[in-house]
Amino acid sequence: MKKLLLYLFLITAGLISTVQVSAQKEIAPGVIKLQKGEIDTFTPYSLFGGKPVIEAMKALPAAKLPLMPKTCR
């Protein structure tokens, strides 16, 4: 199980490192928006309406990452 998680992490890190992000913006506490290329016409907000309740998110306590490598502790 640990090897599988390690492989998934390495693959994800490799894919992320090859993508060049054109914009990065924190839109809520702990939520970072990455943008590459053009914005799609159909987004969850345009289809379903509503917006995140940012004020309620600010009131939440800070949390730890669920998968923290032992070397980073």
Side-chain angles (χ1 to χ4, degrees):
M1 181 67 174
K2 289 182 182 181
K3 285 186 180 182
L4 175 63
L5 289 175
L6 178 63
Y7 291 143
L8 289 174
F9 174 76
L10 292 175
I11 290 170
T12 304
L15 291 173
I16 290 173
S17 67
T18 60
V19 174
Q20 294 182 358
V21 176
S22 59
Q24 179 177 340
K25 178 181 175 183
E26 185 171 357
I27 57 173
V31 180
I32 297 174
K33 175 183 175 182
L34 303 175
Q35 181 179 338
K36 180 179 180 351
E38 297 179 22
I39 297 175
D40 194 5
T41 306
F42 301 107
T43 65
Y45 298 133
S46 68
L47 292 174
F48 304 113
K51 295 285 182 182
V53 185
I54 295 175
E55 293 304 318
M57 292 174 76
K58 288 180 182 178
L60 293 171
K64 294 181 182 177
L65 292 175
L67 300 173
M68 186 64 117
K70 290 181 182 179
T71 57
C72 295
R73 291 182 187 168

Coordinates of all heavy atoms in Angstrom, one line a residue:
M1 N 0.8 -1.2 0.0 CA 0.0 0.0 0.0 C 0.9 1.3 0.0 O 0.6 2.2 -0.7 CB -0.9 0.0 1.2 CG -1.8 1.1 1.3 SD -3.0 1.1 0.0 CE -4.1 2.4 0.5
K2 N 2.0 1.2 0.8 CA 2.8 2.4 0.9 C 3.5 2.6 -0.5 O 3.7 3.8 -0.9 CB 3.9 2.2 1.9 CG 3.3 2.3 3.3 CD 4.4 2.2 4.4 CE 3.9 2.3 5.8 NZ 4.9 2.2 6.8
K3 N 3.9 1.5 -1.2 CA 4.5 1.6 -2.5 C 3.6 2.2 -3.5 O 3.9 3.1 -4.3 CB 5.1 0.3 -3.0 CG 6.3 -0.2 -2.3 CD 6.8 -1.4 -2.9 CE 8.1 -1.9 -2.2 NZ 8.6 -3.1 -2.9
L4 N 2.3 1.8 -3.4 CA 1.3 2.3 -4.4 C 1.1 3.8 -4.2 O 1.1 4.6 -5.1 CB 0.0 1.6 -4.2 CG -1.2 2.1 -5.0 CD1 -0.9 1.9 -6.5 CD2 -2.5 1.4 -4.6
L5 N 1.0 4.3 -2.9 CA 0.9 5.7 -2.6 C 2.1 6.5 -3.1 O 2.0 7.6 -3.6 CB 0.6 5.9 -1.1 CG -0.7 5.5 -0.6 CD1 -0.8 5.7 0.9 CD2 -1.8 6.3 -1.3
L6 N 3.3 5.9 -2.9 CA 4.5 6.5 -3.3 C 4.5 6.7 -4.9 O 4.8 7.7 -5.4 CB 5.7 5.8 -2.9 CG 7.1 6.3 -3.3 CD1 7.3 7.7 -2.8 CD2 8.2 5.4 -2.9
Y7 N 4.1 5.6 -5.6 CA 4.1 5.7 -7.0 C 3.1 6.7 -7.5 O 3.4 7.5 -8.4 CB 3.8 4.3 -7.6 CG 4.9 3.3 -7.5 CD1 4.5 2.0 -7.2 CD2 6.2 3.6 -7.6 CE1 5.5 1.0 -7.0 CE2 7.2 2.7 -7.4 CZ 6.9 1.4 -7.1 OH 7.8 0.4 -7.0
L8 N 1.9 6.7 -6.9 CA 0.9 7.7 -7.3 C 1.4 9.1 -7.1 O 1.2 10.0 -7.9 CB -0.4 7.5 -6.5 CG -1.2 6.2 -7.0 CD1 -2.4 6.0 -6.0 CD2 -1.6 6.3 -8.4
F9 N 2.0 9.3 -5.9 CA 2.6 10.7 -5.6 C 3.6 11.1 -6.7 O 3.6 12.2 -7.2 CB 3.2 10.7 -4.2 CG 3.9 11.9 -3.9 CD1 3.2 13.1 -3.6 CD2 5.3 12.0 -3.9 CE1 3.8 14.3 -3.3 CE2 6.0 13.2 -3.6 CZ 5.2 14.3 -3.3
L10 N 4.5 10.2 -7.0 CA 5.6 10.5 -7.9 C 5.0 10.7 -9.3 O 5.5 11.7 -10.0 CB 6.6 9.3 -8.0 CG 7.5 9.2 -6.7 CD1 8.3 7.9 -6.8 CD2 8.3 10.4 -6.5
I11 N 4.0 10.0 -9.7 CA 3.4 10.2 -11.1 C 2.7 11.5 -11.1 O 2.9 12.3 -12.0 CB 2.5 9.0 -11.4 CG1 3.2 7.8 -11.7 CG2 1.6 9.4 -12.6 CD1 2.4 6.5 -11.8
T12 N 2.0 11.8 -10.0 CA 1.3 13.1 -9.9 C 2.2 14.3 -9.9 O 2.0 15.3 -10.6 CB 0.4 13.1 -8.7 OG1 -0.5 12.0 -8.7 CG2 -0.4 14.4 -8.6
A13 N 3.3 14.1 -9.2 CA 4.3 15.2 -9.1 C 5.0 15.4 -10.5 O 5.2 16.5 -10.9 CB 5.3 14.9 -8.0
G14 N 5.2 14.3 -11.2 CA 5.8 14.4 -12.5 C 4.9 15.1 -13.5 O 5.3 15.9 -14.3
L15 N 3.6 14.8 -13.4 CA 2.6 15.4 -14.3 C 2.5 16.9 -14.0 O 2.4 17.7 -14.9 CB 1.3 14.7 -14.2 CG 1.2 13.3 -14.8 CD1 -0.1 12.7 -14.5 CD2 1.5 13.3 -16.3
I16 N 2.4 17.2 -12.7 CA 2.2 18.6 -12.3 C 3.5 19.4 -12.7 O 3.3 20.6 -13.1 CB 2.0 18.7 -10.8 CG1 0.6 18.2 -10.5 CG2 2.1 20.2 -10.3 CD1 0.2 18.1 -9.1
S17 N 4.7 18.9 -12.6 CA 5.9 19.6 -12.9 C 6.0 19.9 -14.4 O 6.7 20.8 -14.8 CB 7.1 18.9 -12.4 OG 7.3 17.7 -13.2
T18 N 5.3 19.1 -15.3 CA 5.4 19.4 -16.7 C 4.3 20.4 -17.2 O 4.5 20.9 -18.3 CB 5.1 18.1 -17.5 OG1 3.9 17.6 -17.2 CG2 6.2 17.1 -17.2
V19 N 3.3 20.7 -16.4 CA 2.3 21.7 -16.7 C 2.8 23.1 -16.3 O 3.1 23.3 -15.2 CB 1.0 21.3 -16.0 CG1 -0.1 22.4 -16.3 CG2 0.5 20.0 -16.5
Q20 N 2.7 24.0 -17.3 CA 3.1 25.4 -17.0 C 1.8 26.1 -16.7 O 1.0 26.3 -17.6 CB 3.9 26.0 -18.1 CG 5.2 25.3 -18.3 CD 6.0 26.0 -19.4 OE1 5.5 26.9 -20.0 NE2 7.2 25.6 -19.6
V21 N 1.6 26.6 -15.5 CA 0.4 27.3 -15.1 C 0.6 28.8 -15.4 O 1.6 29.4 -15.1 CB 0.2 27.1 -13.5 CG1 -1.0 27.9 -13.1 CG2 0.1 25.7 -13.2
S22 N -0.4 29.3 -16.0 CA -0.3 30.7 -16.4 C -0.9 31.7 -15.3 O -0.5 32.8 -15.3 CB -1.1 31.0 -17.7 OG -2.5 30.6 -17.5
A23 N -1.7 31.2 -14.4 CA -2.2 32.0 -13.3 C -2.4 31.1 -12.1 O -2.8 30.0 -12.2 CB -3.5 32.7 -13.7
Q24 N -2.1 31.7 -10.9 CA -2.3 31.0 -9.6 C -2.9 32.0 -8.7 O -2.4 33.1 -8.5 CB -1.0 30.5 -9.1 CG -1.1 29.8 -7.8 CD 0.2 29.2 -7.3 OE1 1.1 29.0 -8.1 NE2 0.3 29.0 -6.0
K25 N -4.0 31.7 -8.0 CA -4.7 32.6 -7.2 C -5.4 31.9 -6.0 O -6.0 30.9 -6.3 CB -5.8 33.4 -8.0 CG -6.6 34.4 -7.2 CD -7.6 35.0 -8.1 CE -8.5 35.9 -7.4 NZ -9.5 36.5 -8.2
E26 N -5.2 32.4 -4.8 CA -5.9 31.8 -3.7 C -7.3 32.4 -3.6 O -7.5 33.6 -3.4 CB -5.2 32.0 -2.4 CG -5.8 31.3 -1.2 CD -5.0 31.3 0.1 OE1 -3.9 31.9 0.1 OE2 -5.5 30.8 1.1
I27 N -8.3 31.5 -3.8 CA -9.7 32.0 -3.9 C -10.4 31.8 -2.6 O -11.5 32.4 -2.4 CB -10.5 31.3 -5.1 CG1 -10.5 29.8 -4.9 CG2 -9.9 31.7 -6.4 CD1 -11.4 29.1 -5.9
A28 N -9.9 31.0 -1.7 CA -10.5 30.8 -0.4 C -9.4 30.3 0.5 O -8.4 29.8 0.0 CB -11.7 29.9 -0.5
P29 N -9.6 30.3 1.8 CA -8.5 29.7 2.7 C -8.3 28.2 2.4 O -9.2 27.4 2.4 CB -9.1 29.9 4.1 CG -10.1 31.0 3.9 CD -10.6 30.9 2.6
G30 N -7.1 27.9 1.9 CA -6.7 26.5 1.6 C -7.1 26.1 0.2 O -6.9 25.0 -0.2
V31 N -7.7 27.0 -0.6 CA -8.1 26.6 -2.0 C -7.4 27.5 -2.9 O -7.5 28.7 -2.9 CB -9.7 26.9 -2.2 CG1 -10.1 26.5 -3.6 CG2 -10.4 26.1 -1.1
I32 N -6.6 26.9 -3.8 CA -5.8 27.6 -4.8 C -6.3 27.3 -6.2 O -6.4 26.1 -6.5 CB -4.3 27.3 -4.6 CG1 -3.8 27.7 -3.3 CG2 -3.5 28.0 -5.7 CD1 -2.4 27.3 -3.0
K33 N -6.5 28.3 -6.9 CA -7.0 28.1 -8.3 C -5.8 28.2 -9.3 O -5.1 29.2 -9.2 CB -8.0 29.2 -8.6 CG -8.5 29.2 -10.1 CD -9.5 30.4 -10.3 CE -9.9 30.5 -11.7 NZ -10.7 31.6 -12.0
L34 N -5.6 27.2 -10.0 CA -4.6 27.2 -11.1 C -5.2 27.3 -12.4 O -6.2 26.7 -12.7 CB -3.8 25.9 -11.0 CG -3.1 25.6 -9.7 CD1 -2.4 24.2 -9.7 CD2 -2.1 26.7 -9.3
Q35 N -4.7 28.1 -13.3 CA -5.3 28.3 -14.6 C -4.3 28.2 -15.7 O -3.2 28.7 -15.6 CB -5.9 29.7 -14.7 CG -6.6 30.0 -16.0 CD -7.2 31.3 -16.1 OE1 -7.5 31.9 -15.1 NE2 -7.4 31.9 -17.3
K36 N -4.6 27.4 -16.7 CA -3.7 27.2 -17.9 C -4.6 27.3 -19.1 O -5.6 26.6 -19.2 CB -3.0 25.9 -17.8 CG -2.1 25.7 -19.0 CD -1.5 24.3 -18.9 CE -0.5 23.9 -20.0 NZ -0.4 24.6 -21.2
G37 N -4.3 28.2 -20.0 CA -5.1 28.3 -21.2 C -6.3 29.1 -21.0 O -6.4 29.9 -20.1
E38 N -7.3 28.9 -21.9 CA -8.6 29.6 -21.9 C -9.5 29.0 -20.8 O -9.5 27.8 -20.6 CB -9.2 29.6 -23.2 CG -8.4 30.2 -24.3 CD -9.1 30.2 -25.7 OE1 -10.3 30.0 -25.7 OE2 -8.4 30.3 -26.7
I39 N -10.4 29.9 -20.3 CA -11.4 29.4 -19.4 C -12.5 28.8 -20.2 O -13.0 29.3 -21.2 CB -11.9 30.6 -18.6 CG1 -10.8 31.2 -17.7 CG2 -13.1 30.2 -17.7 CD1 -11.2 32.5 -17.0
D40 N -13.0 27.6 -19.7 CA -14.0 26.9 -20.3 C -15.4 27.6 -20.1 O -15.6 28.2 -19.1 CB -14.1 25.5 -19.7 CG -15.0 24.5 -20.6 OD1 -15.4 24.9 -21.7 OD2 -15.2 23.4 -20.1
T41 N -16.2 27.5 -21.1 CA -17.5 28.2 -21.1 C -18.4 27.5 -20.0 O -19.1 28.1 -19.3 CB -18.3 28.0 -22.4 OG1 -17.4 28.6 -23.4 CG2 -19.6 28.8 -22.4
F42 N -18.3 26.2 -19.9 CA -19.1 25.4 -18.9 C -18.3 25.1 -17.7 O -17.3 24.4 -17.7 CB -19.6 24.1 -19.6 CG -20.4 24.4 -20.8 CD1 -19.9 24.1 -22.1 CD2 -21.7 24.9 -20.7 CE1 -20.7 24.3 -23.2 CE2 -22.5 25.2 -21.8 CZ -22.0 24.9 -23.1
T43 N -18.7 25.8 -16.6 CA -18.0 25.5 -15.3 C -19.1 25.1 -14.3 O -20.3 25.3 -14.6 CB -17.3 26.8 -14.8 OG1 -18.3 27.8 -14.5 CG2 -16.3 27.3 -15.8
P44 N -18.8 24.5 -13.2 CA -19.8 24.2 -12.2 C -20.7 25.4 -11.8 O -21.9 25.3 -11.6 CB -19.0 23.7 -11.0 CG -17.8 23.1 -11.6 CD -17.5 24.0 -12.8
Y45 N -20.0 26.6 -11.7 CA -20.8 27.8 -11.4 C -21.7 28.2 -12.5 O -22.9 28.6 -12.2 CB -19.8 28.9 -11.0 CG -18.9 28.6 -9.9 CD1 -17.6 28.9 -9.9 CD2 -19.4 28.1 -8.7 CE1 -16.8 28.6 -8.9 CE2 -18.6 27.8 -7.6 CZ -17.3 28.1 -7.7 OH -16.5 27.8 -6.6
S46 N -21.3 28.1 -13.7 CA -22.2 28.5 -14.8 C -23.4 27.5 -15.0 O -24.5 27.9 -15.4 CB -21.5 28.7 -16.1 OG -21.0 27.5 -16.6
L47 N -23.1 26.2 -14.7 CA -24.2 25.2 -14.9 C -25.1 25.2 -13.7 O -26.3 25.1 -13.9 CB -23.5 23.9 -15.1 CG -22.8 23.7 -16.4 CD1 -22.1 22.3 -16.4 CD2 -23.7 23.8 -17.6
F48 N -24.6 25.2 -12.5 CA -25.5 25.0 -11.3 C -25.7 26.2 -10.5 O -26.5 26.2 -9.6 CB -24.8 23.9 -10.5 CG -24.6 22.6 -11.2 CD1 -23.3 22.1 -11.5 CD2 -25.7 21.8 -11.7 CE1 -23.1 21.0 -12.2 CE2 -25.5 20.7 -12.4 CZ -24.2 20.2 -12.6
G49 N -25.0 27.3 -10.8 CA -25.1 28.5 -10.0 C -24.5 28.3 -8.6 O -23.9 27.3 -8.3
G50 N -24.6 29.4 -7.8 CA -24.1 29.3 -6.5 C -22.6 29.6 -6.4 O -21.9 29.5 -7.5
K51 N -22.1 30.0 -5.3 CA -20.7 30.3 -5.1 C -20.3 29.7 -3.8 O -21.1 29.5 -2.9 CB -20.5 31.8 -5.1 CG -20.7 32.5 -6.4 CD -19.7 32.3 -7.4 CE -20.0 33.0 -8.7 NZ -19.0 32.8 -9.7
P52 N -19.0 29.5 -3.6 CA -18.6 29.0 -2.3 C -18.8 30.0 -1.2 O -18.7 31.2 -1.4 CB -17.1 28.7 -2.4 CG -16.7 29.3 -3.7 CD -17.9 29.6 -4.5
V53 N -19.1 29.6 0.0 CA -19.3 30.5 1.1 C -17.9 30.8 1.8 O -17.5 30.1 2.7 CB -20.3 29.9 2.1 CG1 -20.6 30.9 3.2 CG2 -21.6 29.5 1.4
I54 N -17.2 31.7 1.3 CA -15.9 32.0 1.7 C -15.8 32.5 3.1 O -14.9 32.1 3.8 CB -15.2 33.0 0.7 CG1 -15.1 32.4 -0.7 CG2 -13.9 33.5 1.2 CD1 -14.6 33.3 -1.7
E55 N -16.8 33.2 3.6 CA -16.8 33.7 5.0 C -16.8 32.5 5.9 O -16.2 32.5 7.0 CB -17.9 34.7 5.2 CG -17.8 36.0 4.5 CD -16.5 36.7 4.8 OE1 -16.0 36.7 6.0 OE2 -15.8 37.2 3.9
A56 N -17.6 31.5 5.6 CA -17.7 30.3 6.5 C -16.4 29.5 6.4 O -16.0 28.9 7.4 CB -18.9 29.5 6.0
M57 N -15.8 29.5 5.2 CA -14.5 28.8 5.1 C -13.4 29.4 5.9 O -12.5 28.8 6.5 CB -14.1 28.7 3.6 CG -15.0 27.8 2.8 SD -14.6 27.9 1.0 CE -13.2 26.8 1.0
K58 N -13.5 30.8 6.0 CA -12.5 31.5 6.8 C -12.6 31.2 8.3 O -11.7 31.3 9.1 CB -12.6 33.0 6.6 CG -12.1 33.5 5.2 CD -12.3 35.0 5.1 CE -11.9 35.4 3.7 NZ -12.1 36.9 3.5
A59 N -13.8 30.8 8.7 CA -14.1 30.5 10.1 C -13.6 29.1 10.5 O -13.5 28.8 11.7 CB -15.6 30.7 10.4
L60 N -13.3 28.3 9.5 CA -12.9 26.9 9.8 C -11.4 26.9 10.4 O -10.6 27.7 10.0 CB -12.9 26.0 8.6 CG -14.3 25.8 8.0 CD1 -14.2 25.1 6.6 CD2 -15.1 24.9 9.0
P61 N -11.1 26.0 11.3 CA -9.7 25.9 11.7 C -8.8 25.4 10.7 O -9.3 24.6 9.8 CB -9.8 24.9 12.9 CG -11.0 24.1 12.6 CD -12.0 25.0 11.9
A62 N -7.5 25.7 10.8 CA -6.6 25.2 9.9 C -6.4 23.7 10.1 O -6.5 23.2 11.2 CB -5.2 25.8 10.0
A63 N -6.3 22.9 9.0 CA -6.2 21.5 9.1 C -4.8 21.0 8.6 O -4.2 21.7 7.8 CB -7.3 20.8 8.3
K64 N -4.5 19.8 9.0 CA -3.2 19.2 8.5 C -3.5 18.4 7.2 O -4.6 17.9 7.0 CB -2.6 18.2 9.5 CG -2.2 18.9 10.8 CD -1.6 17.9 11.8 CE -1.2 18.6 13.1 NZ -0.7 17.7 14.0
L65 N -2.5 18.3 6.4 CA -2.7 17.5 5.2 C -2.9 16.0 5.6 O -2.2 15.5 6.5 CB -1.4 17.6 4.3 CG -1.2 18.9 3.6 CD1 0.1 18.9 2.9 CD2 -2.3 19.3 2.7
P66 N -3.8 15.3 4.9 CA -4.1 13.9 5.3 C -2.9 12.9 4.9 O -2.7 11.9 5.6 CB -5.3 13.5 4.5 CG -5.4 14.5 3.4 CD -4.7 15.7 3.8
L67 N -2.2 13.2 3.9 CA -1.0 12.4 3.5 C 0.2 13.2 3.6 O 0.6 13.9 2.6 CB -1.2 11.9 2.1 CG -2.5 11.0 1.9 CD1 -2.7 10.7 0.4 CD2 -2.4 9.7 2.6
M68 N 0.9 13.1 4.7 CA 2.1 13.8 4.9 C 3.3 12.8 4.9 O 3.3 11.9 5.8 CB 2.1 14.6 6.2 CG 3.3 15.5 6.4 SD 3.3 16.8 5.1 CE 3.2 18.2 6.0
P69 N 4.3 13.0 4.0 CA 5.4 12.1 4.0 C 6.2 12.2 5.4 O 6.2 13.2 6.0 CB 6.3 12.5 2.9 CG 5.4 13.4 2.0 CD 4.3 13.9 2.9
K70 N 6.7 11.0 5.8 CA 7.4 11.0 7.1 C 8.6 11.9 7.1 O 9.0 12.5 8.1 CB 7.8 9.6 7.4 CG 6.7 8.7 7.8 CD 7.2 7.3 8.1 CE 6.0 6.4 8.4 NZ 6.5 5.0 8.7
T71 N 9.2 12.2 5.9 CA 10.4 13.0 5.9 C 10.1 14.5 6.1 O 10.9 15.3 6.4 CB 11.1 12.8 4.5 OG1 10.2 13.1 3.5 CG2 11.6 11.4 4.4
C72 N 8.8 14.9 5.9 CA 8.4 16.3 6.0 C 7.9 16.6 7.4 O 7.6 17.7 7.7 CB 7.3 16.6 5.0 SG 7.8 16.5 3.3
R73 N 7.8 15.6 8.3 CA 7.3 15.9 9.6 C 8.3 16.5 10.5 O 9.4 16.4 10.5 CB 6.7 14.6 10.2 CG 5.5 14.2 9.5 CD 4.9 12.9 10.2 NE 3.8 12.5 9.4 CZ 3.2 11.3 9.5 NH1 3.6 10.5 10.4 NH2 2.2 11.0 8.7

